[in-house]
Amino acid sequence: MLHLEFTRNHVSDNPVQKTLRLAVGTAQVLEINRDCLDFDGEINQPTYSIADIQDIGHLMATTFKNADGLALHIDDDVAHRFTTEVWVQWLSFGLALSRYKYHHTPSALLQPVVAQFQLKSVDSAASHSELPLLRDAFTRGQILAHSQLIARELMNKPGNVLYPETFVHAVEALAINGVSLSYLSDEAMLEQGFGGLMGIAQGSDREARLLCLDYCPANAQTTITLVGKGVTFDSGGISIKQPRYMSTMKVDMSGAAAVVGAVNAIATLKLPIRVIGLCGLVENMPSGKAVKPGDVVTMLSNTSVEIITTDAEGRMVLADVLHYAQQTYQPDYLIDIATLTGGTGIALGKAYASLMGNDPSLMTIAQQAGTDCAEAVWPMPSDNAMFKSALKSDFAELRHGSEEPDGSPCVAATFLQHFVAPEQKWIHIDSAAMSLGMNHRHIHHHAASGFGALLLTQICQQIADQASMSHQKMTHNE
């Protein structure tokens, strides 16, 4: 049996400890059964996942919220499904998230408050020498929770408080250690020729921004660029959206929020790779200045693009930023994440984000990363003849989508691929349904999910691990 004990940082004069047991059983819903003799509660499921471990940490802390100490007895046939490090990391993550509830303020400044717990003891087959690794795993869980809350706070802010300029201020105020922050203004992007991004931005009175977060540790041998869609409010523009769920369009900057959360985690964990986070920040609004269906704009890459619907704005923003990322940083890996198409949510619901790209090995890394952190992705096709035909225009080199909804996530990815060099390793993550309404998870019972911050961090961790192993192998062969 694996026995773990955690303590809250504040201890009362008469400390109370509650004990929970995990066992194999028949329960189909993750909940604590309080009707048991030997423990304060039991969870009895046929199987357990990483998502369950995260939720169990949260559930323990919120169910026994007056307890100073929390003990977890994990039966052998449950404990053996994961390493002790995995149990400790993701329980720590769930515990740390247990205090979070969004509170509105008129300021864009973020308040990512984590619950304070400590790992008190571990009783298992682990040797004494493994205890430092377990304490590191506990700390890592707290770092990941804090980073996801940064993403959640950004997503939860309303559009009248968080817009491109204040998004930059909010991230700047985080003062992420080891990360340099800069941005391109409206004027700079117009001068450089960001026709796609600035074409969308021109309908709003708010200025656009391209935020750059650069984490560049000494002797980094690998460079990864993360690109996030940051539409701080998406009205649909001239192709205005239906009123239903319009209020949720403040989370159309979730890709950018995920990038910020991931960069915070990567820098705090001190991964030995260079990671550049780029957030294309705009508002998509209808006005006399707004881009119209049928307009043709010239992108940063000098490609002319016909606009079909102004509600397909995210791909125009991403296409320019993807081109800029390659020209400026020449990354080894290029990854973008966006709440891009409703079709992804229709196809996959809230179980998976969709994954497309041009490099099978990078797609495999992303799939494994999603499994390892419970932010799953599902591969979908792109760049075949049918999707390319949807982008043929009589009036420009490309149109940015089709009048028909057929295969919309795949058509959008195919459009983006036009702006990615063939030799550039690239993946696109469409997380359209994952930002809100994830209340089937205990850790996401309230407001925005912060989806993507863990996934991007885990992808970068795996790339860093592979690079380290490759370097060690080369050194050994020499």
Side-chain angles (χ1 to χ4, degrees):
M1 177 179 283
L2 173 60
H3 179 80
L4 303 170
E5 290 191 22
F6 308 96
T7 57
R8 283 187 167 93
N9 277 11
H10 65 278
V11 179
S12 62
D13 294 335
N14 298 300
V16 174
Q17 177 159 304
K18 296 292 185 179
T19 304
L20 177 68
R21 178 193 179 203
L22 303 187
V24 174
T26 59
Q28 298 301 308
V29 177
L30 182 63
E31 58 185 10
I32 295 177
N33 174 19
R34 305 288 292 273
D35 186 20
C36 50
L37 295 176
D38 299 325
F39 303 91
D40 297 296
E42 286 186 343
I43 295 176
N44 300 276
Q45 294 198 146
T47 187
Y48 291 82
S49 65
I50 298 293
D52 290 331
I53 300 175
Q54 296 171 352
D55 284 344
I56 288 166
H58 189 281
L59 194 56
M60 286 173 63
T62 52
T63 301
F64 304 121
K65 57 187 176 184
N66 295 319
D68 303 281
L70 298 171
L72 191 64
H73 287 272
I74 309 175
D75 287 0
D76 284 341
D77 49 357
V78 177
H80 290 162
R81 300 181 187 194
F82 301 99
T83 67
T84 305
E85 282 182 73
V86 168
W87 280 106
V88 169
Q89 174 178 305
W90 292 121
L91 286 167
S92 168
F93 176 80
L95 290 167
L97 294 178
S98 62
R99 274 192 61 196
Y100 180 69
K101 183 178 175 66
Y102 176 67
H103 296 284
H104 174 71
T105 68
S107 168
L109 297 182
L110 310 180
Q111 298 176 315
V113 179
V114 298
Q116 297 298 314
F117 282 86
Q118 298 292 331
L119 176 64
K120 182 180 179 182
S121 66
V122 180
D123 184 9
S124 71
S127 67
H128 182 72
S129 63
E130 289 178 301
L131 290 178
L133 293 176
L134 299 182
R135 297 200 181 279
D136 287 346
F138 186 85
T139 299
R140 180 181 173 85
Q142 293 178 310
I143 290 169
L144 293 173
H146 181 256
S147 300
Q148 189 189 79
L149 290 186
I150 288 172
R152 286 200 209 180
E153 280 280 290
L154 287 165
M155 293 181 192
N156 283 326
K157 292 286 183 182
N160 62 322
V161 171
L162 194 81
Y163 42 90
E165 185 178 5
T166 57
F167 187 110
V168 173
H169 294 331
V171 177
E172 191 171 26
L174 292 172
I176 305 171
N177 191 36
V179 174
S180 63
L181 180 150
S182 61
Y183 66 87
L184 295 182
S185 66
D186 258 25
E187 290 182 1
M189 287 188 283
L190 282 170
E191 184 177 334
Q192 292 187 36
F194 282 74
L197 188 152
M198 292 306 299
I200 301 305
Q202 72 190 41
S204 172
D205 292 335
R206 307 282 194 191
E207 291 188 2
R209 293 286 187 268
L210 176 56
L211 173 63
C212 174
L213 301 172
D214 192 348
Y215 166 67
C216 188
N219 303 316
Q221 300 297 311
T222 302
T223 298
I224 303 170
T225 301
L226 307 176
V227 173
K229 173 188 171 184
V231 180
T232 57
F233 186 79
D234 180 18
S235 70
I238 296 297
S239 308
I240 197 162
K241 292 179 180 289
Q242 295 296 315
R244 192 181 185 198
Y245 300 128
M246 176 83 85
S247 65
T248 68
M249 289 300 102
K250 67 180 185 178
V251 300
D252 209 22
M253 34 59 70
S254 296
V259 167
V260 174
V263 171
N264 181 82
I266 290 160
T268 308
L269 293 168
K270 298 182 179 179
L271 297 191
I273 52 176
R274 186 183 185 190
V275 177
I276 300 108
L278 297 175
C279 302
L281 303 168
V282 299
E283 259 191 353
N284 184 26
M285 299 292 286
S287 75
K289 299 180 296 180
V291 68
K292 305 177 296 297
D295 284 0
V296 175
V297 300
T298 301
M299 310 292 286
L300 183 62
S301 64
N302 287 320
T303 304
S304 61
V305 172
E306 179 192 3
I307 304 296
I308 299 302
T309 166
T310 63
D311 195 24
E313 83 297 332
R315 67 197 68 184
M316 300 296 286
V317 174
L318 288 174
D320 270 355
V321 182
L322 288 170
H323 181 80
Y324 177 82
Q326 294 165 90
Q327 296 299 306
T328 307
Y329 300 105
Q330 297 84 46
D332 299 293
Y333 301 94
L334 179 62
I335 301 167
D336 77 76
I337 183 167
T339 51
L340 207 63
T341 65
T344 282
I346 292 168
L348 301 174
K350 296 184 181 296
Y352 301 90
S354 63
L355 172 70
M356 288 148 277
N358 64 3
D359 186 75
S361 63
L362 184 54
M363 291 181 73
T364 298
I365 288 171
Q367 287 178 267
Q368 185 60 54
T371 299
D372 290 346
C373 70
E375 291 195 343
V377 294
W378 190 267
M380 295 177 74
S382 64
D383 204 41
N384 71 17
M386 190 195 87
F387 306 137
K388 288 179 178 178
S389 66
L391 302 175
K392 291 180 179 178
S393 171
D394 292 332
F395 309 102
E397 292 170 80
L398 285 175
R399 61 180 186 176
H400 76 164
S402 172
E403 300 282 4
E404 304 299 329
D406 303 338
S408 61
C410 309
V411 170
T414 301
F415 174 79
L416 293 177
Q417 195 160 343
H418 277 275
F419 301 89
V420 176
E423 67 277 6
Q424 173 68 63
K425 295 180 179 179
W426 161 76
I427 56 172
H428 161 65
I429 300 163
D430 188 339
S431 58
M434 311 302 280
S435 298
L436 286 173
M438 297 284 283
N439 50 15
H440 58 286
R441 296 288 311 280
H442 288 280
I443 61 170
H444 298 321
H445 71 289
H446 176 77
S449 69
F451 183 93
L454 294 185
L455 176 60
L456 295 175
T457 303
Q458 191 66 28
I459 291 171
C460 291
Q461 178 73 68
Q462 290 189 203
I463 291 171
D465 291 345
Q466 286 189 7
S468 177
M469 290 174 61
S470 177
H471 178 72
Q472 290 175 12
K473 187 175 180 180
M474 288 174 61
T475 303
H476 177 73
N477 290 339
E478 290 174 359

